[in-house]
Amino acid sequence: YILYKKGAVMNLNAYIIRDYLKETVLWDCIQEDLTGLPYENVSIYEKDTPLEVSVIYLISPGDFEREYERLSHGAYIITGDCRQIPSMNSLSVICVQSARSTANLLHQVQEIFRFFYEWEISLYQILGRNGSLREYGVCSLEIFNNPIALYTSAHRNVFFCENQKPRHLTLFHEEDVNAYLSDTEIEDMRLDPVFQATIRATRPTIYPADMWGYRILYDNLHIENVYVARIMVCEFDQPIRESDHALLRILTSFLEHGIRHQDILFNSHPENFDACITGLLQEQPLEEPVMNAALSNYGWRLGDSYFCILIPVNSQDQFMHTAPYVCSRLESSVAGSAAIIYGEYIVLIVNQERALLSRDEILSQLIYIQRENLLKAGVSNIFTGLQNLAEYYRQALAALSIGSKSDPTLWIFRYESYAYRHLLLRASQGSSMEALCPFGLLQLMQYDRMHRRTYTRSLKAFIENQMSVSKAIQQLYIQRATFIYQLKRIKEISGLDLNDKSCQFQLLIVFQIMDEKKYELP
C-alpha cells in the first residue's frame, strides 16, 4: 500500500499548540475533542477577512474583545493579557503573556507545526521501509518524554523504549522484551473490573496509578476490528499532558499499519510452523519440503509420535484476549510441545520423542494449570506421523464433547475412555433411531405401545446380560416363569432369531445407541 500526505504540515489541535508554546499561558478555554486534529496552519487575525476553519489565529486582546461576537468557531491565541470571557460558543482560546512581538509568536507556532511534521515524516519513513515496531517508539520518545511500551493483547512485551538513564532509574530492562507479565499480574488484571473496561477502549485513555504506581496513557491497536495490542505511555519521567492523547492516536495509526507486516504471532514458533499446523488440522494439501523445514526448525520430525490435547478457550480468556498467554504457559510446562489457537480451541500437540515425561505424567501435570484457569481438556490417543493430526484432533474433540456431558466433574477426558461411545454415535450419525432398528424390534415396540406391555425392556435386559435369564430377572425384579413366558411372546411378536450371534450384536448396538440418545422405550 501507499499512504499519501496532503501538504507539508501535520494537522494539530489547540491542546498541542498550548502545551508546546514557549510563552507563558495565562489561561485557556479549549473546546475541542482531545484526539481531533483540525488545524493545518496558523495566521494573524485581520478584521473583515474571511476566517478558515483549518487555521488557528493570533489575535490581539483588543480585537478579541471587540470581535468576540463574530468569532463563532475555530481557535485563537490572544497575544497578551485579556479579560477572560466565559465561552458562549465553540471557540478554543489560549491567552499568552505578551513578551514578544506577534511576528515572533507566529514564527514560534509555525515551528511547532514544523516540529510535528518532521516527526510524522520520520514515522512515514519507518513505515515505508517496514522498520521494526520499536523504531516507532524510539522515534516518539522526544514527543512524549516518558517510557513507551507495546504489549500484545495477551500481555507480552513487543518492545519498550525510554530515555537513557542509569539502570536503577529505568522502568524497563532488556529482559522484559518478549516476556509476559507475571502470572500474578495477569491474574490481578483478569479480576480487576477497571482493567476489564480497558479492553473496550477505542481511543486514548488514562489508566489510574492504583495497580502500577504510575498512570498510563494507552491506546488499543486493532487489526480488522480485532484488538491485538496496546501502546502505552507511562507517566514515569514527567506528567502526561492533554496533547499526548492526540499524539498517541497518531502513533497508534502508524503502528496499526506497521504491525500488519510484522510477525508478532505471540509465540516463538519458527516461520510457517503455525501455518503448517493449521493446514494439517484443515486437511489441506501441504508441500512436504516446507512442512519438513518448519518442523525441523522446531526440533520435530514428521514421522515422530504425538498426541493432541484440545482445550476450549474460556469466556474470560476470549474477553481478555489472554489465550496466547495460556498457550505460552502450556508450552513452558510441557517439554516438546507446541500450542496454537484454532478457532475457539487451544490445540496443544505433544511430541512424545521430545517430551521428558509419559503421556499420563504430562496429563497429571497439566491439571494444575487447568484448575487455575478453569480449563477442560480432551486428549487423543498417541499416533505416529503428524500428517494424521486432523484425525486425532477429532478424537480429542469427541472425548471433550462426550466427556463434558457424561463426566462434568473431571478436568481431563481421554479418548480411550469414550472411544466405544464415540463409535456408537458415529454409527448412528445421520440416521433416525427407527431406521437403525431391525424390523422385528420395531414390531415389538409397536406391540408394546398398543397393548401397554414392556416386552422391549425385557429384551434389552436379556441382551445386555449376555442372554442370561438369571441376570435379567434380577435386573427386572420379576419371576423366572414370567420372564420365560415373555421371551416366548417376544420371539412370536418380533420374529427375531435370538440365537443368531449377528442378531444379538445388532440388538446390543441399537440398545446402546438408544441409551446414548436417551431414546424412550415403550
Side-chain angles (χ1 to χ4, degrees):
Y1 56 84
I2 300 175
L3 296 178
Y4 293 95
K5 173 64 183 169
K6 180 183 176 182
V9 294
M10 170 180 152
N11 284 23
L12 304 179
N13 62 23
Y15 298 104
I16 298 172
I17 299 295
R18 179 200 63 192
D19 288 347
Y20 283 82
L21 278 172
K22 295 178 182 177
E23 302 294 340
T24 302
V25 175
L26 300 176
W27 59 268
D28 64 80
C29 180
I30 300 177
Q31 313 246 23
E32 298 171 10
D33 181 81
L34 278 171
T35 58
L37 298 168
Y39 309 119
E40 62 181 30
N41 206 348
V42 59
S43 183
I44 298 175
Y45 175 81
E46 295 181 7
K47 186 178 180 181
D48 301 326
T49 301
L51 301 175
E52 298 181 39
V53 295
S54 61
V55 175
I56 185 167
Y57 289 95
L58 307 184
I59 187 169
S60 69
D63 281 346
F64 182 78
E65 292 182 8
R66 284 189 298 271
E67 300 291 323
Y68 181 74
E69 296 299 329
R70 176 176 176 261
L71 308 177
S72 58
H73 58 266
Y76 298 85
I77 301 175
I78 304 175
T79 59
D81 197 2
C82 175
R83 178 172 59 88
Q84 184 172 355
I85 301 174
S87 179
M88 302 295 291
N89 50 31
S90 58
L91 292 183
S92 289
V93 182
I94 303 169
C95 182
V96 300
Q97 185 174 351
S98 179
R100 302 183 183 184
S101 67
T102 301
N104 284 336
L105 184 58
L106 177 66
H107 176 72
Q108 186 183 147
V109 177
Q110 288 172 336
E111 284 298 309
I112 294 173
F113 273 96
R114 186 175 296 110
F115 171 74
F116 284 104
Y117 174 64
E118 290 174 355
W119 175 53
E120 188 181 36
I121 289 299
S122 298
L123 293 174
Y124 272 110
Q125 289 173 343
I126 296 170
L127 184 63
R129 56 182 166 79
N130 195 25
S132 70
L133 297 178
R134 186 176 185 274
E135 289 182 65
Y136 293 95
V138 172
C139 175
S140 305
L141 277 176
E142 186 180 7
I143 303 299
F144 298 105
N145 288 307
N146 269 314
I148 302 171
L150 179 67
Y151 273 80
T152 68
S153 56
H155 312 298
R156 188 175 191 175
N157 191 339
V158 178
F159 76 75
F160 72 86
C161 55
E162 61 182 304
N163 292 317
Q164 191 170 8
K165 56 178 81 79
R167 178 180 170 88
H168 69 280
L169 297 178
T170 59
L171 181 60
F172 299 108
H173 302 109
E174 288 296 332
E175 57 267 25
D176 296 325
V177 178
N178 290 325
Y180 283 96
L181 295 179
S182 69
D183 296 348
T184 302
E185 290 172 320
I186 291 179
E187 191 61 26
D188 287 345
M189 287 189 292
R190 292 175 66 181
L191 299 175
D192 183 7
V194 176
F195 183 83
Q196 291 175 14
T198 69
I199 303 298
R200 299 190 182 94
T202 56
R203 54 184 290 139
T205 310
I206 289 181
Y207 189 78
D210 301 0
M211 182 173 290
W212 307 107
Y214 51 86
R215 297 194 306 165
I216 296 172
L217 176 65
Y218 69 90
D219 198 12
N220 294 332
L221 279 67
H222 295 84
I223 303 297
E224 307 299 339
N225 295 319
V226 177
Y227 163 49
V228 297
R230 173 171 296 174
I231 183 69
M232 301 185 297
V233 175
C234 304
E235 194 176 50
F236 195 72
D237 294 333
Q238 71 171 34
I240 291 171
R241 298 164 295 189
E242 288 182 302
S243 59
D244 289 340
H245 289 74
L247 299 173
L248 185 61
R249 187 91 278 270
I250 293 168
L251 178 57
T252 298
S253 66
F254 276 93
L255 284 167
E256 284 179 340
H257 284 291
I259 209 170
R260 295 172 187 268
H261 299 274
Q262 302 279 337
D263 181 16
I264 60 162
L265 295 177
F266 319 115
N267 58 43
S268 56
H269 299 164
E271 184 180 5
N272 296 323
F273 183 88
D274 285 16
C276 286
I277 296 299
T278 301
L280 290 172
L281 288 168
Q282 296 173 346
E283 299 185 275
Q284 296 175 352
L286 299 174
E287 296 181 7
E288 193 166 323
V290 174
M291 187 161 53
N292 282 330
L295 295 179
S296 177
N297 289 335
Y298 200 62
W300 286 11
R301 294 176 301 178
L302 195 60
D304 287 347
S305 295
Y306 300 88
F307 67 90
C308 174
I309 302 173
L310 189 64
I311 300 171
V313 178
N314 65 32
S315 57
Q316 182 76 352
D317 285 318
Q318 286 178 339
F319 175 73
M320 298 291 288
H321 301 270
T322 48
Y325 162 72
V326 178
C327 289
S328 176
R329 284 199 64 191
L330 291 169
E331 284 187 4
S332 63
S333 299
V334 180
S337 70
I340 70 165
I341 299 171
Y342 183 64
E344 297 179 354
Y345 297 97
I346 293 173
V347 181
L348 179 66
I349 306 164
V350 181
N351 185 321
Q352 284 278 242
E353 316 291 333
R354 301 291 181 268
L356 303 177
L357 304 172
S358 69
R359 176 173 175 263
D360 286 343
E361 289 171 331
I362 289 170
L363 296 179
S364 298
Q365 194 176 57
L366 283 182
I367 285 181
Y368 298 103
I369 297 177
Q370 291 179 255
R371 288 175 177 168
E372 183 179 332
N373 294 275
L374 301 178
L375 305 173
K376 302 284 187 175
V379 185
S380 77
N381 291 333
I382 295 175
F383 62 96
T384 300
L386 196 59
Q387 67 273 16
N388 300 313
L389 177 62
E391 182 65 32
Y392 290 87
Y393 164 83
R394 289 192 287 270
Q395 275 194 4
L397 182 60
L400 181 64
S401 175
I402 298 170
S404 297
K405 294 174 183 176
S406 59
D407 301 309
T409 59
L410 298 182
W411 293 99
I412 291 178
F413 310 107
R414 294 170 170 82
Y415 179 73
E416 58 266 29
S417 301
Y418 306 98
Y420 184 66
R421 295 173 64 186
H422 182 219
L423 291 174
L424 291 178
L425 292 172
R426 290 186 65 176
S428 61
Q429 192 173 10
S431 299
S432 67
M433 199 64 250
E434 288 73 16
L436 295 171
C437 293
F439 180 69
L441 181 57
L442 291 175
Q443 285 183 307
L444 186 64
M445 289 192 293
Q446 184 179 10
Y447 181 89
D448 280 350
R449 291 190 179 99
M450 290 179 62
H451 298 89
R452 301 178 65 82
R453 301 294 185 187
T454 58
Y455 290 156
T456 308
R457 293 176 182 267
S458 296
L459 175 61
K460 183 174 183 290
F462 186 55
I463 293 295
E464 289 181 342
N465 284 285
Q466 295 83 43
M467 311 288 284
S468 169
V469 173
S470 59
K471 290 181 181 179
I473 62 176
Q474 287 178 10
Q475 180 179 327
L476 296 170
Y477 295 104
I478 60 175
Q479 294 182 351
R480 184 180 184 87
T482 302
F483 184 72
I484 296 297
Y485 172 77
Q486 287 184 355
L487 275 182
K488 177 185 175 187
R489 292 293 295 139
I490 288 169
K491 293 175 183 178
E492 291 173 350
I493 296 166
S494 68
L496 294 169
D497 183 2
L498 299 183
N499 294 319
D500 181 65
K501 292 292 184 183
S502 61
C503 177
Q504 296 172 18
F505 185 71
Q506 184 182 11
L507 288 172
L508 179 63
I509 294 295
V510 168
F511 283 132
Q512 290 181 341
I513 292 174
M514 286 178 175
D515 287 342
E516 285 295 324
K517 294 193 170 186
K518 295 181 169 45
Y519 183 82
E520 188 67 28
L521 289 176

Short mmCIF file of all heavy atoms in Angstrom, two decimals, residues 144-172:
data_model
loop_
_atom_site.label_atom_id
_atom_site.label_comp_id
_atom_site.label_asym_id
_atom_site.label_seq_id
_atom_site.Cartn_x
_atom_site.Cartn_y
_atom_site.Cartn_z
N PHE A 144 6.88 12.35 23.70
CA PHE A 144 6.19 12.06 24.96
C PHE A 144 7.08 12.25 26.20
O PHE A 144 6.57 12.47 27.30
CB PHE A 144 5.64 10.64 24.94
CG PHE A 144 4.63 10.41 23.85
CD1 PHE A 144 4.97 9.70 22.71
CD2 PHE A 144 3.35 10.92 23.96
CE1 PHE A 144 4.04 9.50 21.70
CE2 PHE A 144 2.41 10.71 22.97
CZ PHE A 144 2.76 10.01 21.82
N ASN A 145 8.40 12.08 26.02
CA ASN A 145 9.33 12.22 27.15
C ASN A 145 8.95 11.35 28.34
O ASN A 145 9.10 11.73 29.50
CB ASN A 145 9.43 13.69 27.58
CG ASN A 145 10.20 14.52 26.58
OD1 ASN A 145 11.32 14.17 26.22
ND2 ASN A 145 9.58 15.59 26.10
N ASN A 146 8.43 10.19 28.05
CA ASN A 146 8.09 9.17 29.05
C ASN A 146 8.37 7.80 28.42
O ASN A 146 8.40 7.66 27.19
CB ASN A 146 6.62 9.26 29.43
CG ASN A 146 6.38 10.18 30.62
OD1 ASN A 146 7.09 10.11 31.62
ND2 ASN A 146 5.38 11.06 30.51
N PRO A 147 8.58 6.76 29.24
CA PRO A 147 8.77 5.42 28.68
C PRO A 147 7.57 4.99 27.84
O PRO A 147 6.41 5.28 28.17
CB PRO A 147 8.91 4.54 29.93
CG PRO A 147 9.38 5.47 31.00
CD PRO A 147 8.72 6.78 30.71
N ILE A 148 7.86 4.30 26.74
CA ILE A 148 6.83 3.82 25.81
C ILE A 148 6.97 2.31 25.69
O ILE A 148 8.08 1.78 25.58
CB ILE A 148 6.99 4.46 24.42
CG1 ILE A 148 6.92 6.00 24.53
CG2 ILE A 148 5.92 3.96 23.46
CD1 ILE A 148 7.29 6.71 23.24
N ALA A 149 5.84 1.60 25.71
CA ALA A 149 5.87 0.14 25.57
C ALA A 149 4.70 -0.31 24.71
O ALA A 149 3.63 0.31 24.71
CB ALA A 149 5.79 -0.54 26.94
N LEU A 150 4.93 -1.37 23.96
CA LEU A 150 3.87 -2.00 23.17
C LEU A 150 3.69 -3.43 23.66
O LEU A 150 4.64 -4.22 23.65
CB LEU A 150 4.22 -2.01 21.68
CG LEU A 150 3.19 -2.67 20.75
CD1 LEU A 150 1.90 -1.85 20.72
CD2 LEU A 150 3.73 -2.82 19.34
N TYR A 151 2.50 -3.75 24.14
CA TYR A 151 2.18 -5.08 24.63
C TYR A 151 1.12 -5.71 23.73
O TYR A 151 0.22 -5.02 23.25
CB TYR A 151 1.62 -5.02 26.06
CG TYR A 151 2.67 -5.04 27.14
CD1 TYR A 151 3.37 -3.90 27.48
CD2 TYR A 151 2.97 -6.22 27.81
CE1 TYR A 151 4.34 -3.91 28.46
CE2 TYR A 151 3.94 -6.24 28.80
CZ TYR A 151 4.61 -5.09 29.13
OH TYR A 151 5.58 -5.12 30.11
N THR A 152 1.24 -7.01 23.52
CA THR A 152 0.17 -7.71 22.83
C THR A 152 -1.05 -7.79 23.74
O THR A 152 -0.96 -7.55 24.95
CB THR A 152 0.59 -9.14 22.44
OG1 THR A 152 0.73 -9.91 23.64
CG2 THR A 152 1.89 -9.15 21.67
N SER A 153 -2.18 -8.13 23.16
CA SER A 153 -3.40 -8.27 23.97
C SER A 153 -3.26 -9.37 25.01
O SER A 153 -4.00 -9.41 25.99
CB SER A 153 -4.60 -8.56 23.06
OG SER A 153 -4.35 -9.71 22.27
N ALA A 154 -2.29 -10.27 24.80
CA ALA A 154 -2.05 -11.34 25.77
C ALA A 154 -0.99 -10.96 26.80
O ALA A 154 -0.49 -11.82 27.53
CB ALA A 154 -1.61 -12.61 25.04
N HIS A 155 -0.62 -9.67 26.85
CA HIS A 155 0.30 -9.14 27.86
C HIS A 155 1.74 -9.60 27.65
O HIS A 155 2.46 -9.88 28.60
CB HIS A 155 -0.16 -9.50 29.28
CG HIS A 155 -1.61 -9.23 29.51
ND1 HIS A 155 -2.15 -7.97 29.43
CD2 HIS A 155 -2.64 -10.06 29.80
CE1 HIS A 155 -3.44 -8.03 29.67
NE2 HIS A 155 -3.77 -9.28 29.89
N ARG A 156 2.15 -9.67 26.41
CA ARG A 156 3.54 -9.96 26.08
C ARG A 156 4.18 -8.69 25.54
O ARG A 156 3.62 -8.04 24.64
CB ARG A 156 3.63 -11.08 25.05
CG ARG A 156 5.06 -11.55 24.80
CD ARG A 156 5.08 -12.74 23.86
NE ARG A 156 6.38 -13.37 23.81
CZ ARG A 156 6.64 -14.48 23.15
NH1 ARG A 156 5.67 -15.09 22.50
NH2 ARG A 156 7.84 -15.00 23.15
N ASN A 157 5.33 -8.33 26.05
CA ASN A 157 6.01 -7.10 25.68
C ASN A 157 6.63 -7.26 24.29
O ASN A 157 7.51 -8.09 24.08
CB ASN A 157 7.10 -6.78 26.71
CG ASN A 157 7.67 -5.39 26.53
OD1 ASN A 157 7.56 -4.80 25.47
ND2 ASN A 157 8.29 -4.87 27.58
N VAL A 158 6.17 -6.45 23.33
CA VAL A 158 6.74 -6.47 21.98
C VAL A 158 8.00 -5.60 21.95
O VAL A 158 9.02 -5.98 21.42
CB VAL A 158 5.71 -5.97 20.95
CG1 VAL A 158 6.32 -5.92 19.55
CG2 VAL A 158 4.48 -6.86 20.95
N PHE A 159 7.89 -4.38 22.52
CA PHE A 159 9.08 -3.53 22.64
C PHE A 159 8.87 -2.55 23.80
O PHE A 159 7.74 -2.33 24.25
CB PHE A 159 9.38 -2.78 21.34
CG PHE A 159 8.48 -1.60 21.06
CD1 PHE A 159 8.61 -0.40 21.75
CD2 PHE A 159 7.50 -1.68 20.08
CE1 PHE A 159 7.79 0.69 21.48
CE2 PHE A 159 6.68 -0.60 19.81
CZ PHE A 159 6.83 0.59 20.52
N PHE A 160 9.95 -1.98 24.26
CA PHE A 160 9.89 -0.86 25.19
C PHE A 160 11.00 0.11 24.77
O PHE A 160 11.97 -0.27 24.11
CB PHE A 160 10.11 -1.30 26.64
CG PHE A 160 11.53 -1.70 26.93
CD1 PHE A 160 12.47 -0.76 27.30
CD2 PHE A 160 11.92 -3.03 26.82
CE1 PHE A 160 13.79 -1.12 27.54
CE2 PHE A 160 13.24 -3.40 27.05
CZ PHE A 160 14.18 -2.43 27.43
N CYS A 161 10.84 1.34 25.13
CA CYS A 161 11.92 2.31 24.94
C CYS A 161 11.73 3.44 25.94
O CYS A 161 10.61 3.77 26.32
CB CYS A 161 11.95 2.84 23.50
SG CYS A 161 10.40 3.55 22.95
N GLU A 162 12.81 3.99 26.40
CA GLU A 162 12.77 5.15 27.29
C GLU A 162 14.08 5.90 27.19
O GLU A 162 15.09 5.37 26.69
CB GLU A 162 12.47 4.76 28.72
CG GLU A 162 13.45 3.84 29.41
CD GLU A 162 13.00 3.47 30.83
OE1 GLU A 162 12.77 4.39 31.63
OE2 GLU A 162 12.87 2.27 31.11
N ASN A 163 14.05 7.13 27.62
CA ASN A 163 15.25 7.95 27.56
C ASN A 163 16.36 7.33 28.41
O ASN A 163 16.10 6.72 29.45
CB ASN A 163 14.95 9.37 28.05
CG ASN A 163 14.02 10.11 27.10
OD1 ASN A 163 14.19 10.03 25.88
ND2 ASN A 163 13.04 10.81 27.64
N GLN A 164 17.58 7.48 27.92
CA GLN A 164 18.72 6.81 28.58
C GLN A 164 18.94 7.38 29.97
O GLN A 164 18.94 8.59 30.20
CB GLN A 164 19.98 7.00 27.73
CG GLN A 164 21.13 6.14 28.18
CD GLN A 164 22.27 6.16 27.17
OE1 GLN A 164 22.24 6.93 26.22
NE2 GLN A 164 23.27 5.33 27.39
N LYS A 165 19.11 6.46 30.93
CA LYS A 165 19.36 6.84 32.32
C LYS A 165 19.97 5.63 33.03
O LYS A 165 19.97 4.52 32.48
CB LYS A 165 18.07 7.29 33.01
CG LYS A 165 16.94 6.28 32.96
CD LYS A 165 15.69 6.79 33.70
CE LYS A 165 14.85 7.72 32.89
NZ LYS A 165 14.00 7.04 31.91
N PRO A 166 20.51 5.78 34.23
CA PRO A 166 21.06 4.63 34.95
C PRO A 166 20.02 3.53 35.13
O PRO A 166 18.83 3.81 35.28
CB PRO A 166 21.49 5.23 36.29
CG PRO A 166 21.72 6.67 36.01
CD PRO A 166 20.72 7.04 34.96
N ARG A 167 20.47 2.28 35.12
CA ARG A 167 19.55 1.13 35.16
C ARG A 167 18.60 1.21 36.36
O ARG A 167 17.42 0.89 36.23
CB ARG A 167 20.36 -0.17 35.22
CG ARG A 167 19.48 -1.42 35.30
CD ARG A 167 20.33 -2.69 35.36
NE ARG A 167 19.49 -3.84 35.69
CZ ARG A 167 18.85 -4.59 34.79
NH1 ARG A 167 18.92 -4.29 33.51
NH2 ARG A 167 18.12 -5.62 35.17
N HIS A 168 19.10 1.65 37.53
CA HIS A 168 18.25 1.65 38.71
C HIS A 168 17.15 2.72 38.63
O HIS A 168 16.23 2.74 39.45
CB HIS A 168 19.10 1.85 39.98
CG HIS A 168 19.69 3.21 40.13
ND1 HIS A 168 20.84 3.60 39.45
CD2 HIS A 168 19.30 4.30 40.85
CE1 HIS A 168 21.15 4.84 39.76
NE2 HIS A 168 20.22 5.30 40.61
N LEU A 169 17.24 3.59 37.64
CA LEU A 169 16.21 4.63 37.46
C LEU A 169 15.29 4.32 36.28
O LEU A 169 14.38 5.10 36.01
CB LEU A 169 16.88 5.99 37.23
CG LEU A 169 17.72 6.53 38.39
CD1 LEU A 169 18.36 7.86 38.00
CD2 LEU A 169 16.88 6.70 39.66
N THR A 170 15.53 3.22 35.59
CA THR A 170 14.72 2.92 34.41
C THR A 170 13.50 2.09 34.80
O THR A 170 13.49 1.36 35.78
CB THR A 170 15.53 2.14 33.36
OG1 THR A 170 16.01 0.92 33.94
CG2 THR A 170 16.70 2.97 32.87
N LEU A 171 12.47 2.20 33.97
CA LEU A 171 11.24 1.44 34.19
C LEU A 171 11.34 0.05 33.57
O LEU A 171 10.85 -0.92 34.13
CB LEU A 171 10.05 2.21 33.61
CG LEU A 171 8.67 1.59 33.76
CD1 LEU A 171 8.31 1.40 35.24
CD2 LEU A 171 7.63 2.46 33.07
N PHE A 172 11.97 -0.04 32.40
CA PHE A 172 12.09 -1.31 31.69
C PHE A 172 13.54 -1.76 31.60
O PHE A 172 14.46 -0.94 31.68
CB PHE A 172 11.52 -1.18 30.26
CG PHE A 172 10.08 -0.81 30.21
CD1 PHE A 172 9.69 0.46 29.81
CD2 PHE A 172 9.09 -1.73 30.55
CE1 PHE A 172 8.35 0.80 29.75
CE2 PHE A 172 7.76 -1.40 30.51
CZ PHE A 172 7.37 -0.13 30.10
#
